[in-house]
Amino acid sequence: MASESYPPPFRSLNNSTQIVDSDEKAYPVHDLEDPIPLLDLQSLKLGKQLGEACEQWGIFRLVNHGVPPTLLSQLRDHAETFFSLPFESKQSLITRPLSYFWGTPALTPSGAALHRKGSTLENINLVEGFNVPIAQLNQFQADNHIVASFSLVLEEYGKHLARIATTIFEAMLKNLGLDPIESKSNLSHSTGSVRVYRYPRCSNSNSAWGLDVHTDSSVVSILNQDDVGGLEVLKDKDWFTVKPIPNTLIINLGDMMQAISDDKYKSVTHRVKVNKNKERISICYFVFPGEGSVIRSSKYKPFTYSDFQEQVQQDIKTVGYKVGLEKFKISEAV
């Protein structure tokens, strides 16, 4: 793809050094065949395997998910076509409620890119993408045929992902012994959004990061990655590579699920490394608690997702990074 399709600061990556500092990089990286727990959506009711994956990893690979392989291929083809457009065209073609971003994965509620305090061209994340609020797609009228056809495919994909997220969430509630009626509002399809990411190739891939170390703020995130790879997850102070395997989905637990579970389940810490030879495309679905839904836990003060989101955005602007659940933790008595 022509370099003109990239944001201007990305166009000279193969001749420069791009580093995003991370305290976690010192931990060893294990490139095992496939260390991530494998679960079958059709047998999540068995419970034990799901519970172990959520407690020990906070991430698992999903098979028999019911998303047609042809739809997954269409998504990747549409993503490649869109990202190949000139940078300026992508900025103008993506209009609300969709939003285009680059250099950071952090977005405001309206979808605008939120750059951290002290952000410079030397420490931005090597990623570009666009955010799609699935529930608002039926109100979206695209003038460009590339964006219009991609939106239709994303809308169909969103229906599958809402089904999968609900099935997984209900299985987790059952494992945790939580009342499904009381907890129903802690996951709302109306909050579901898809983000389509592209990570450029970079000759200095050993010190270049598409996304630096973070946890997702969601209840669950569902990742569809291409064949390039680059996702790494942290477990017990060791990094593990999440291999790309065709027709499987990766399920990440987010901060909201950790709080809902009273810290029994973990919000997985992860990062994305860029590749020196190939660019990478991934498509991730995020779903959150409904508006006004209060999360109650013995570990945290009662809060809504809006409270959490507001705190995260404030932290990014003031201290330069997401503090997350620690800001809502109940202090233990001395």
Side-chain angles (χ1 to χ4, degrees):
M1 294 182 182
S3 63
E4 289 74 18
S5 70
Y6 288 116
F10 294 3
R11 296 174 188 175
S12 59
L13 285 176
N14 292 303
N15 302 310
S16 64
T17 300
Q18 189 82 17
I19 298 176
V20 176
D21 290 331
S22 167
D23 293 338
E24 309 287 0
K25 289 191 292 185
Y27 294 147
V29 178
H30 299 279
D31 195 26
L32 304 178
E33 188 60 32
D34 187 36
I36 307 305
L38 178 71
L39 274 70
D40 186 327
L41 186 64
Q42 306 307 316
S43 58
L44 282 182
K45 61 185 181 214
L46 297 178
K48 182 180 178 183
Q49 192 180 14
L50 174 64
E52 289 178 350
C54 294
E55 291 172 14
Q56 298 172 17
W57 285 85
I59 186 172
F60 55 89
R61 189 183 302 278
L62 193 69
V63 296
N64 285 333
H65 45 69
V67 182
T70 52
L71 180 57
L72 297 177
S73 296
Q74 283 181 315
L75 283 167
R76 285 190 284 271
D77 290 344
H78 278 286
E80 289 177 2
T81 300
F82 172 77
F83 283 124
S84 69
L85 296 172
F87 171 65
E88 291 76 12
S89 296
K90 286 179 286 193
Q91 287 186 304
S92 62
L93 289 174
I94 297 298
T95 56
R96 294 190 66 177
L98 281 61
S99 59
Y100 174 77
F101 60 90
W102 63 273
T104 176
L107 305 180
T108 66
S110 66
L114 180 67
H115 291 279
R116 60 187 176 182
K117 179 185 179 183
S119 179
T120 67
L121 292 180
E122 284 68 44
N123 65 13
I124 59 175
N125 287 266
L126 300 184
V127 63
E128 69 167 323
F130 65 98
N131 181 62
V132 182
I134 295 297
Q136 299 178 48
L137 270 181
N138 58 2
Q139 307 164 21
F140 178 64
Q141 298 293 326
D143 295 327
N144 177 274
H145 73 280
I146 293 176
V147 177
S149 58
F150 198 1
S151 298
L152 290 174
V153 176
L154 285 168
E155 189 170 15
E156 179 64 23
Y157 185 60
K159 295 174 184 176
H160 284 283
L161 275 290
R163 166 183 56 82
I164 293 169
T166 299
T167 302
I168 292 171
F169 184 62
E170 290 175 349
M172 290 192 292
L173 291 180
K174 185 175 181 180
N175 268 13
L176 292 164
L178 297 176
D179 187 317
I181 303 300
E182 290 182 5
S183 303
K184 186 177 181 180
S185 65
N186 283 337
L187 183 140
S188 173
H189 293 167
S190 66
T191 68
S193 65
V194 172
R195 291 189 189 175
V196 185
Y197 301 101
R198 178 170 73 155
Y199 304 91
R201 66 186 183 91
C202 178
S203 58
N204 192 28
S205 61
N206 288 331
S207 58
W209 298 94
L211 296 180
D212 51 3
V213 178
H214 69 287
T215 59
D216 292 345
S217 297
S218 58
V219 178
V220 294
S221 308
I222 305 178
L223 176 70
N224 167 20
Q225 57 178 343
D226 65 10
D227 60 355
V228 176
L231 175 62
E232 296 177 354
V233 299
L234 186 66
K235 180 180 184 292
D236 302 328
K237 296 187 177 182
D238 286 306
W239 286 103
F240 293 87
T241 301
V242 181
K243 300 284 187 179
I245 297 179
N247 298 325
T248 67
L249 298 173
I250 300 298
I251 312 299
N252 288 8
L253 302 195
D255 300 332
M256 298 302 98
M257 193 63 226
Q258 179 171 323
I260 291 167
S261 73
D262 223 17
D263 284 0
K264 293 182 179 68
Y265 291 172
K266 64 185 294 184
S267 179
V268 63
T269 299
H270 54 290
R271 64 188 181 185
V272 177
K273 191 175 184 180
V274 296
N275 188 285
K276 67 179 179 180
N277 297 314
K278 296 180 179 179
E279 65 179 29
R280 175 180 186 261
I281 290 178
S282 67
I283 302 169
C284 196
Y285 172 85
F286 301 89
V287 65
F288 304 88
E291 186 176 354
S293 178
V294 179
I295 295 175
R296 304 184 188 280
S297 162
S298 68
K299 308 284 187 182
Y300 304 96
K301 306 166 190 173
F303 67 93
T304 65
Y305 176 67
S306 294
D307 296 332
F308 185 85
Q309 186 181 40
E310 184 178 339
Q311 183 63 58
V312 167
Q313 304 221 350
Q314 181 181 333
D315 290 339
I316 291 173
K317 291 176 182 176
T318 55
V319 299
Y321 59 90
K322 167 186 162 183
V323 177
L325 287 173
E326 285 299 316
K327 282 291 181 83
F328 295 87
K329 202 102 175 176
I330 296 174
S331 301
E332 296 182 5
V334 179

